[in-house]
Amino acid sequence: MRAIRRFTVRTVLPAPLEPLGQLAMNLRWSWHAETRDLFASIDPETWAAVGQDPVRLLGAVPTDKLAALAEDRRFLARLTVAAGDLNDYLTGARWYQSLPEPGGTPDGAPAAIAYFSPEFGITAALPQYSGGLGILAGDHLKAASDLGVPVIGVGLLYRHGYFRQSLSRDGWQQERYPLLDPNELPLTLVRHPDGTPARILIGLPGGRELHARIWKAQVGRVPLLLLDSDIEENEAFEREVTDRLYGGTSEHRLHQEMLLGIGGVRAVREFCALTGHPQPEVFHTNEGHAGFLGVERIREYHESSGLDFDAALEAVRAGTVFTTHTPVPAGIDRFDRELIARHFGGDNEAPGVPVDRVLALGAETFPGGEPGVFNMAVMGLRLAQRANGVSELHGHVSQGMFAGLWPGFDPAEVPIGSITNGVHAPTWVDRDVLEAASREIGPELTEEAHGWTAIERIPAQAVWDLRRTLRAKLVAEARVRLRESWRLRGAGDAELGWTEQALDPDVLTIGFARRVPSYKRLTLMLRDKERLRGLLLHPTRPIQIVVAGKAHPADEGGKRLVQELVKFSDQEDVRHRIVFLPDYDIAMAQHLYPGCDVWLNNPLRPLEACGTSGMKAALNGCLNLSILDGWWDEWYDGSNGWAIPTADGVEDPDRRDDLEANALYDLVEHNVAARFYDRGPDGLPSRWLEMVRHTLVSLGPKVLASRMVKDYVNGLYAPAALAARSMAADGLAGAKTLAAWKAEVRGAWPQVRVDHVESGGIGDAPEVGNTLDLRVFVSLGDLRPSDVEVQVVHGRVDGADAIVDGAVAPLKPVRRDEHGRWFYEGSLALDRTGPFGYTVRVMPAHALLATPAELGLIAVPADGEGVADGLPLR
């Protein structure tokens, strides 16, 4: 019989054990080995059975066992130490506290930063993630906590999380969505002083309302707020808004993103009011899903200060950071324009936020854009004064992808920068590796390169023994998971004896694990199955491959790729050398990265935004074998792994895959395997171990999430906070002034032009050392010289007279002539030989702009006037 009501009865700990509850409810345990050791010592078998989840452990241990522990002086002493260590971690000054006083002086760091993401991968015990975006968000919060950065995480609580994956007998992906009870998770409800749960409310069309309560996960020092719509105040349709991650109809996704963005801002306000936490000065939108947070903040400014839409927009933009994670338009959330109009107009239109202005934020007004579409990434860029990609290459790709929003500017000047992702070492580095590194570097893994050179002192034999131990641990784990997978596929014990010999702890092990969209090319390794079979079964230099990954439930093509890989790995002659492990998650990944010798990544370049799995592998002494894409394009140096050659320019996708697969096979056979099995008289692969050491020394300080978060603080958060304060000063005078100035400039810009350019001083045969004198006449209409900057752009030119690697120099206004034109002048020193050219341009200029390209306005000489022909210099 089914229960008519379900609830969870929480454990009441004996008073001496109450600190255990505090330790369990702070997710720092997920990256703090000593705390996990303490929980494991309570009941090792139960600890393993509950998936190393402290909350479930405390609910599963019998009360008599807890009573005995409450009398165990040795255990209580360990508990006191662990609780004291957590308290020191939460209250002590850290890196951020050494910066100028938060919220104090004008150059001080932000008092708080709100970080919005649709998913967060903190631990397998809180399954609110699907892949790289969520794992990155989780690592961001953990590193912020370690550094003392006052971040507030904001997301949704999905009652079914992402799906759990298994396989059918014929290798087809199966999905199941187990129900998650928040009371069984490391979460607490945000409550009012009288104990009632805090609620937020957003409006929907037709007078409907969407209610949500706020759960808090404590990630070290960082609170993570998760909104939950599965409450009695909602009708059945609204209760399902937070049912699962990345599922449902377009309207369902829109409701999720409205709740995340609009509801998230309201949840932050409620949380700060109830707890005294400083209100955020900076709002960080991690991908476009939370973009509506800007719309909500515009409404706030109108309601609290009476700002009109334009002034409120400037105030919002100044304190907003937008990070894009996709290098392809297909990866961006786009909604039907009428769907947006229905949800933000009519009876649901917010005061001060006209629906036409909301629609304009997401309009694809660039060449090739669709007029009937609302683009969340475009809205994110228009609502943020600062934006970035997640690797240097991805930043360049993003500049090209969104260049249409800044017409007239070269892609390199599109105001999208880059901060390369990093990974949280205490989470992803195996404990044995971490302890070996810490002995040489110190307990805190530093971002300073010189600190990591100490790794070179670890003896080669010790490195090799460690690598063999980690590989053996992975093999043991893989066999258990493989056997369980086959049981779920319907195999009986009599069929599964072979799994005890699957994989070999002494064979070169290659790992490949990630989501399964087509561009990541899960099955590139299968292009020539006989060639792959030969590598797997080589008599003296065999390889073995461990594969994992989930296809999106709606991606039939991705599921076919999984099935193709599984069918090959099922074949009796190779199944001991290549395995597919279902249900890839954080727990599996923490075995995979350390245990593999080589981490394979073969996306279609340049479609991998970053690819942080290779970073996690590298921190464990695993060598990367990858297409030069994402972070690997930036930090591959020829000695820390291998770069798979790409067939750039080959338009036939099958031909390209064939070429790149053959290059992969060649690298594995002649370079990777050859070096791994090249043993000296001492039995050690000395050249391989040199690469392992070099990988740790060269990549260790670069790939850390602590380096990444510092980059965000210094490069984006602090400047955004300064800009937000400038806007807010004197009763938001800055926002009002900037909005009025922008309106004036936009209205006058059609009259701005470069009328005439003259040059002199170099003669007919210019030489290095000559000075080029420039005189420019510019019409500014109703604008003043203080409203613009007139620049000369100069540098080497190519065969089409395009300026390459151009530099910019300002020209000075001298006087106004009788025709109303402004006369500017300046000079250039010719410091290089070869074809040289220049042009002149006019751009808006204001102290409150983050970049001169912000307005997307530019004036250049008509018909090429004033552009040199590429004069040859001697």
Side-chain angles (χ1 to χ4, degrees):
M1 297 178 66
R2 294 192 63 184
I4 61 171
R5 185 182 175 201
R6 182 184 189 276
F7 53 87
T8 298
V9 181
R10 289 212 173 193
T11 301
V12 177
L13 294 170
L17 298 184
E18 286 179 356
L20 274 179
Q22 299 162 13
L23 291 170
M25 296 303 288
N26 191 308
L27 293 173
R28 186 200 181 212
W29 62 257
S30 68
W31 71 89
H32 192 250
E34 290 79 6
T35 304
R36 293 197 302 276
D37 289 345
L38 178 70
F39 282 112
S41 70
I42 293 174
D43 188 332
E45 290 187 4
T46 304
W47 175 247
V50 298
Q52 301 185 356
D53 178 346
V55 173
R56 292 176 61 199
L57 172 75
L58 296 180
V61 174
T63 54
D64 58 342
K65 180 67 176 288
L66 293 175
L69 283 174
E71 302 292 333
D72 186 333
R73 288 191 299 172
R74 181 174 297 180
F75 181 82
L76 292 177
R78 292 180 63 195
L79 176 57
T80 299
V81 170
D85 181 78
L86 177 62
N87 182 68
D88 291 343
Y89 175 86
L90 297 177
T91 59
R94 307 188 76 81
W95 170 80
Y96 194 79
Q97 285 66 50
S98 70
L99 302 179
E101 183 180 352
T105 60
D107 58 348
I113 303 104
Y115 181 91
F116 287 65
S117 179
E119 52 176 302
F120 286 90
I122 310 293
T123 167
L126 187 63
Q128 301 292 307
Y129 60 93
S130 71
L133 179 69
I135 300 300
L136 180 279
D139 282 7
H140 195 106
L141 297 195
K142 293 174 188 176
S145 173
D146 291 343
L147 294 169
V149 182
V151 168
I152 303 173
V154 185
L156 302 180
L157 180 66
Y158 304 98
R159 283 304 181 96
H160 297 280
Y162 201 49
F163 70 91
R164 302 297 301 272
Q165 179 197 47
S166 59
L167 300 172
S168 67
R169 186 71 189 214
D170 66 352
W172 189 254
Q173 175 177 289
Q174 308 285 300
E175 299 101 23
R176 55 191 175 89
Y177 292 87
L179 179 66
L180 302 174
D181 182 350
N183 293 292
E184 295 176 340
L185 299 173
L187 301 171
T188 56
L189 267 178
V190 176
R191 297 180 182 273
H192 291 289
D194 64 1
T196 59
R199 296 275 198 272
I200 63 97
L201 168 69
I202 66 173
L204 295 176
R208 294 170 17 241
E209 294 178 332
L210 174 59
H211 300 257
R213 58 185 169 183
I214 310 163
W215 294 91
K216 178 175 72 73
Q218 193 65 38
V219 186
R221 299 165 71 114
V222 172
L224 168 59
L225 309 180
L226 300 173
L227 301 180
D228 173 19
S229 72
D230 188 13
I231 57 178
E232 294 179 356
E233 289 88 341
N234 286 324
E235 299 295 329
F237 184 77
E238 283 75 36
R239 292 187 72 153
E240 295 298 313
V241 167
T242 55
D243 59 350
R244 61 185 60 174
L245 185 59
Y246 301 142
T249 64
S250 183
E251 185 172 27
H252 182 269
R253 289 287 296 275
L254 176 59
H255 288 171
Q256 287 188 334
E257 298 189 4
M258 290 175 67
L259 182 59
L260 175 59
I262 300 170
V265 172
R266 296 178 184 179
V268 167
R269 303 304 188 203
E270 184 81 354
F271 174 77
C272 292
L274 290 171
T275 64
H277 192 291
Q279 290 283 354
E281 293 187 271
V282 176
F283 287 75
H284 185 172
T285 308
N286 190 40
E287 199 42 273
H289 308 279
F292 292 121
L293 72 86
V295 176
E296 168 63 8
R297 293 182 61 218
I298 289 172
R299 184 201 64 78
E300 286 184 329
Y301 276 115
H302 175 77
E303 183 176 287
S304 64
S305 305
L307 290 188
D308 63 19
F309 187 93
D310 289 318
L313 174 60
E314 298 306 328
V316 166
R317 278 175 46 80
T320 303
V321 172
F322 174 70
T323 298
T324 175
H325 287 263
T326 178
V328 290
I332 297 170
D333 270 353
R334 301 160 82 227
F335 295 104
D336 184 273
R337 178 183 169 91
E338 294 305 314
L339 183 65
I340 301 297
R342 191 163 69 249
H343 281 77
F344 287 86
D347 61 356
N348 205 40
E349 183 170 297
V353 190
V355 65
D356 62 312
R357 300 301 302 272
V358 175
L359 291 170
L361 290 172
E364 295 186 347
T365 54
F366 44 82
E370 296 185 31
V373 163
F374 186 92
N375 186 308
M376 294 296 290
V378 167
M379 178 177 67
L381 290 166
R382 287 183 172 137
L383 284 169
Q385 197 175 42
R386 288 162 181 82
N388 69 288
V390 291
S391 69
E392 191 174 273
L393 177 60
H394 178 236
H396 296 320
V397 170
S398 299
Q399 287 176 318
M401 188 163 72
F402 295 109
L405 296 175
W406 290 271
F409 289 88
D410 290 339
E413 292 187 295
V414 167
I416 300 175
S418 67
I419 291 179
T420 302
N421 283 345
V423 298
H424 187 243
T427 295
W428 300 110
V429 180
D430 186 88
R431 188 171 184 175
D432 291 340
V433 178
L434 203 57
E435 290 176 354
S438 296
R439 282 194 295 269
E440 301 298 335
I441 299 173
E444 298 291 337
L445 298 183
T446 173
E447 296 85 16
E448 302 301 325
H450 61 80
W452 286 75
T453 58
I455 292 287
E456 296 171 340
R457 295 198 296 263
I458 302 177
Q461 185 67 58
V463 175
W464 183 237
D465 290 345
L466 176 58
R467 293 299 316 153
R468 292 189 67 196
T469 297
L470 296 172
R471 195 184 312 115
K473 286 165 61 176
L474 170 59
V475 168
E477 176 73 12
R479 287 173 178 172
V480 171
R481 289 178 177 270
L482 188 64
R483 189 177 185 89
E484 179 61 22
S485 172
W486 273 90
R487 279 183 171 151
L488 291 174
R489 295 173 69 183
D493 288 343
E495 301 175 71
L496 297 178
W498 66 273
T499 60
E500 296 305 317
Q501 284 74 47
L503 306 180
D504 186 323
D506 291 316
V507 167
L508 170 63
T509 304
I510 298 175
F512 184 100
R514 49 191 41 87
R515 290 184 303 110
V516 192
S518 59
Y519 77 87
K520 291 182 182 284
R521 297 193 295 185
L522 169 72
T523 57
L524 186 70
M525 65 182 76
L526 303 182
R527 294 297 290 185
D528 185 339
K529 293 184 177 65
E530 291 310 308
R531 183 89 184 268
L532 176 59
R533 182 175 275 106
L535 294 172
L536 294 169
L537 303 177
H538 194 283
T540 58
R541 299 199 304 267
I543 69 168
Q544 57 193 14
I545 307 176
V546 182
V547 185
K550 294 179 177 179
H552 188 280
D555 183 4
E556 296 295 307
K559 292 181 182 181
R560 283 192 291 271
L561 295 178
V562 170
Q563 185 179 47
E564 183 183 355
L565 193 287
V566 170
K567 284 187 173 181
F568 179 82
S569 66
D570 282 351
Q571 296 178 29
E572 289 189 18
D573 62 333
V574 295
R575 65 186 183 185
H576 65 301
R577 286 281 189 261
I578 179 169
V579 299
F580 181 88
L581 304 181
D583 210 25
Y584 182 44
D585 65 359
I586 288 176
M588 182 193 295
Q590 289 171 324
H591 290 280
L592 274 177
Y593 299 134
C596 291
D597 300 293
V598 174
W599 196 256
L600 175 61
N601 190 25
N602 46 229
L604 277 169
R605 189 180 192 271
L607 303 185
E608 183 77 275
C610 186
T612 55
S613 62
M615 295 179 172
K616 298 160 193 161
L619 277 176
N620 284 284
C622 179
L623 303 180
N624 275 268
L625 171 62
S626 177
I627 295 287
L628 284 174
D629 202 2
W631 75 276
W632 191 235
D633 178 76
E634 194 171 333
W635 289 333
Y636 166 68
D637 67 6
S639 299
N640 52 12
W642 295 270
I644 304 169
T646 54
D648 296 337
V650 175
E651 295 184 3
D652 181 350
D654 287 331
R655 174 66 175 157
R656 178 171 181 168
D657 284 354
D658 286 339
L659 291 171
E660 295 183 4
N662 285 328
L664 170 61
Y665 298 139
D666 287 342
L667 268 176
V668 171
E669 180 176 6
H670 302 301
N671 295 77
V672 181
R675 180 158 295 194
F676 181 84
Y677 289 105
D678 179 17
R679 309 293 165 85
D682 56 2
L684 299 178
S686 58
R687 292 198 300 157
W688 184 275
L689 296 176
E690 287 173 9
M691 292 183 72
V692 170
R693 281 205 196 93
H694 177 72
T695 289
L696 290 168
V697 169
S698 65
L699 294 179
K702 294 178 180 178
V703 302
L704 298 180
S706 54
R707 183 273 311 155
M708 172 189 72
V709 171
K710 286 183 179 181
D711 286 349
Y712 273 103
V713 169
N714 293 320
L716 294 176
Y717 294 163
L722 287 173
R725 292 170 196 167
S726 296
M727 293 293 173
D730 300 323
L732 292 161
K736 298 172 186 175
T737 298
L738 184 59
W741 177 83
K742 283 188 174 182
E744 180 185 2
V745 169
R746 289 190 176 105
W749 203 256
Q751 284 75 50
V752 175
R753 63 181 182 272
V754 178
D755 291 320
H756 184 67
V757 179
E758 296 177 354
S759 63
I762 57 175
D764 296 330
E767 298 178 345
V768 170
N770 287 169
T771 297
L772 176 68
D773 297 319
L774 290 170
R775 294 171 294 277
V776 181
F777 290 90
V778 176
S779 292
L780 297 181
D782 294 330
L783 299 182
R784 301 159 295 277
S786 59
D787 295 324
V788 302
E789 184 170 279
V790 179
Q791 301 173 336
V792 55
V793 183
H794 59 94
R796 182 170 54 86
V797 294
D798 61 18
D801 282 350
I803 298 174
V804 181
D805 300 326
V808 175
L811 300 176
K812 295 180 180 180
V814 178
R815 65 178 184 276
R816 195 173 189 180
D817 69 13
E818 64 276 13
H819 303 293
R821 301 179 305 178
W822 282 92
F823 170 52
Y824 284 74
E825 67 179 9
S827 60
L828 292 176
L830 304 181
D831 58 358
R832 67 174 73 182
T833 61
F836 178 89
Y838 70 90
T839 189
V840 175
R841 66 185 185 184
V842 186
M843 296 196 300
H846 194 285
L848 294 178
L849 295 181
T851 166
E854 186 171 313
L855 275 75
L857 299 176
I858 190 170
V860 296
D863 300 323
E865 181 184 349
V867 180
D869 294 327
L871 302 176
L873 305 183
R874 294 191 299 274

